[in-house]
Amino acid sequence: MSQARQLFHEDCEKGINAQINMEFGAMYAYEAMAAYFDRDDVALPNISSFFKDSAAEEKDHAEKLIEYQNKRGGRVVLKAIAAPEKQEFASALEAFEAALDLEKKVNGSLLNLHATSDKHNDYQFSDFIEGEYLKEQVDAIKQLAGYVAQLKRVGEGHGVYHFDKTFK
C-alpha cells in the first residue's frame, strides 16, 4: 500500500479510474471529429483545429487525473478506449451537437464523482474536482451550445464555409 494514501476511499479511486477512461474516450472522439473535418472532401480546417485542440484538452484532463490518483496513493488502472460512436457526420451541426452531448456526459460523470467524494467526506478531492474541472465543463457546454445555435442559424453550404472561415 502507498505511504501517501490518507483518507482516500476506494470508491473515489475507482471513480477516478473510470473518469480517466472517459476523458481518454472524449479525446478519441474529438480526434475522430478533427480527422473528419480535415478530410479533402470536407475541408473545414478551422473546425478541424478546434476539435484537435479539444482532443488535447481532454488528454490533459486525463493526465491531471492520473497525477492526482498517484498523489493520493491510488492505483491507476487503464482500460481499453472504445471507438467513438460516430466518425462520419452529415453536417458540422451534427458534429457540434455530438460534441455538446459528449461534454454533458463528461460533466455528469464529474458531478457523480464529486458526489462520491462528498459521500466519503474527501474534501480535498472535492476541491480538486471543483478547481480543475467543473467551471471549465460549464464553460465548454455554454461555448458548444452557442456554436450549435450559430450553425442552426447559418444553415448548410456557404453558411458553414463562412462559419469555418471566421471560426477561431
Side-chain angles (χ1 to χ4, degrees), residues 8-75:
F8 187 49
H9 198 275
E10 184 178 289
D11 291 346
C12 294
E13 182 179 10
K14 286 178 184 174
I16 290 173
N17 282 322
Q19 191 67 37
I20 290 168
N21 190 263
M22 178 170 270
E23 299 289 346
F24 278 136
M27 177 198 73
Y28 220 37
Y30 284 134
E31 286 288 354
M33 291 175 187
Y36 174 80
F37 287 101
D38 191 43
R39 289 179 7 189
D40 69 321
D41 61 335
V42 180
L44 295 169
N46 291 326
I47 292 174
S48 177
S49 292
F50 171 79
F51 285 126
K52 190 68 147 165
D53 292 345
S54 297
E57 185 177 297
E58 298 304 328
K59 181 177 185 274
D60 182 56
H61 290 171
E63 289 173 347
K64 281 182 187 176
L65 286 163
I66 290 169
E67 181 182 333
Y68 184 82
Q69 182 85 297
N70 285 329
K71 188 181 289 187
R72 291 295 303 273
R75 297 291 179 252

Side-chain angles (χ1 to χ4, degrees), residues 132-147:
E132 296 291 331
Y133 296 96
L134 296 184
K135 179 187 180 311
E136 188 176 317
Q137 285 301 127
V138 170
D139 291 344
I141 289 167
K142 168 71 165 79
Q143 179 186 47
L144 286 166
Y147 295 150

